[in-house]
Amino acid sequence: MKRFSSLFLVSLLSGATTLGAYKLVFDNDTPSSALSIAAPQSSSYTKNVSLGVPESVDFTEAADKAVHTVVHVKNTTYATATNPMLEFFYGSRGQQPQAQVGTGSGVIITQDGYIVTNNHVIQNASDLEVTLNDNKSYKARLVGTDSKMDIALLKIDAKEKLPYATFGNSDNMKVGEWVLAVGNPYNLTSTVTAGIVSAKARNLSKDGLQSFIQTDAAVNPGNSGGALVNTRGELIGINTMISSQTGSYVGYSFAVPSNITRKIIEDIMEYGNVQRGALGVQGGELNSTVSKELGINQTQGFYVNSVVDKSGAQKAGIKKGDIIVKIDDKAVNGFSDLNAAIVTKRPNDVVKVTLQRGGDLVTVPVKLSKNEINSYSYDGLELQDLSADEKKQLKLNYGVRIKEITDEDYMPYYDELKGGIILTINNTKAIDIETVSSILGNKNPNQRVRVEMLTKNGQIVRFIM
């Protein structure tokens, strides 16, 4: 079936598939393992700035701080190349493993060698090597990853104490503030570019989890995993994506905010995986068209269409028709704002939810529940884990549901596909979303996959996509 064409291509900047995670056991009393967080300040400006007079901003101190904390990451994978002639004469000896090398960037976040980068930079790595700004190289090991937010944590063992980045508060960044992007584009080490924050809370994925800082600082292949810093040199984002039709920078780039990054890293260090809290509401963001259909005047906020049973939202009294306008002190103008406020929280955290209910504003405390339903988008299909109740009802202990169809080529088969349960992909059981994302992430770009699916009518069908 078709491969996608769109008005713009969201291009990952380098790398290959998830290696897996090693749980880190560390001593909480060891200062070198603690993430450094900058003291709160009211603004990231070092002086008053006019966009018309960029010379008035001095980036030298911030750049000097950042370049020493940004590293070059080399990912080596091995693929077996088959030579038909050699295989004919020598059998399996004709299959020769060949090394494939990908490169990206990373940021040192502790003096004892923990490094944050993008998951796609280190995907499928057999060997990882990190080169510091002083040209010293070290073997790196993977500590853990979060493929959904595209964050990975590495560790190197260096004898000396390393320079490390201080986390700034990405929530305090304002649209229009100056930022620097530091990384290794096209293997050009220690490259610094400048721009401004163009937007916040950008969501470019169909699963709704992501919440990026958008900037116009030049970012190119190899910058992935590098630092986005404010004018004080504080880390406020990890450069991740560009928006481009060519694969190279044309004006927009995106970074995972530092507050989200820090929370992911702390989860990996403490729990070995990422702890995600769930509010327990379903619905959509408002605009003029939607508001008119609903018969309401409000055109901003998140409209609650349903509430998940036994969730924190239900227990707090949130109901259909409520409009979420604020989480804690953060305004919610749409889904990306709602997600940005929740993604830094953990299960059992309590948030204050401000609702527009009729003509009144109501604020209720909500205890977040564990987000047990994972989702994943692939090739125009939105997939979702089965709940425990669904598995019991279907008498299955594996499988993922096709939640929605977004590719026009699949629309003639919409009724057959939507709601179906994918059982196997390439003869491998689709145990859950993590398994499916690993299978699909490891396949060759042009390779088709064989799918076995249980339809809503209880029939087993097989197809190739």
Side-chain angles (χ1 to χ4, degrees), residues 237-259:
I238 299 297
N239 296 316
T240 299
M241 290 183 176
I242 58 176
S243 171
S244 170
Q245 294 178 328
T246 64
S248 296
Y249 174 78
V250 291
Y252 301 105
S253 55
F254 301 90
V256 180
S258 60
N259 287 7

Side-chain angles (χ1 to χ4, degrees), residues 89-296:
F89 287 105
Y90 301 105
S92 61
R93 287 178 295 173
Q95 297 180 349
Q96 302 172 339
Q98 295 183 348
Q100 298 175 341
V101 177
T103 61
S105 304
V107 184
I108 305 171
I109 56 172
T110 66
Q111 64 183 9
D112 60 343
Y114 284 98
I115 295 169
V116 63
T117 183
N118 286 145
N119 178 67
H120 76 264
V121 169
I122 54 82
Q123 278 184 322
N124 206 33
S126 299
D127 295 302
L128 289 168
E129 183 180 86
V130 167
T131 302
L132 309 186
N133 191 55
D134 60 6
N135 294 325
K136 292 180 181 178
S137 296
Y138 300 89
K139 291 291 185 182
R141 73 175 188 270
L142 179 66
V143 179
T145 67
D146 180 2
S147 59
K148 293 180 176 61
M149 295 304 299
D150 201 14
I151 291 294
L153 181 65
L154 309 179
K155 178 68 168 68
I156 61 173
D157 295 320
K159 294 180 180 179
E160 71 273 20
K161 293 181 179 179
L162 301 175
Y164 59 93
T166 299
F167 279 86
N169 187 341
S170 54
D171 287 346
N172 289 344
M173 294 300 294
K174 297 178 180 178
V175 173
E177 288 196 44
W178 286 101
V179 288
L180 300 179
V182 186
N184 304 285
Y186 303 116
N187 283 325
L188 301 172
T189 59
S190 304
T191 297
V192 181
T193 57
I196 61 168
V197 174
S198 304
K200 297 174 65 177
R202 286 291 198 216
N203 176 30
L204 304 180
S205 70
K206 292 172 182 173
D207 58 22
L209 280 175
Q210 296 170 335
S211 182
F212 293 117
I213 295 173
Q214 180 182 325
T215 173
D216 66 353
V219 169
N220 278 294
N223 269 111
S224 277
L228 187 71
V229 302
N230 59 24
T231 52
R232 293 192 299 274
E234 297 165 355
L235 183 67
I236 53 96
I238 299 297
N239 296 316
T240 299
M241 290 183 176
I242 58 176
S243 171
S244 170
Q245 294 178 328
T246 64
S248 296
Y249 174 78
V250 291
Y252 301 105
S253 55
F254 301 90
V256 180
S258 60
N259 287 7
I260 295 175
T261 302
R262 188 175 71 240
K263 187 262 183 185
I264 291 169
I265 296 307
E266 289 173 346
D267 280 358
I268 292 172
M269 285 182 167
E270 185 172 353
Y271 304 104
N273 54 45
V274 180
Q275 306 288 301
R276 287 192 174 91
L279 190 62
V281 296
Q282 297 174 342
E285 58 185 52
L286 295 174
N287 55 43
S288 295
T289 303
V290 173
S291 298
K292 185 177 180 180
E293 291 175 355
L294 293 172
I296 58 178

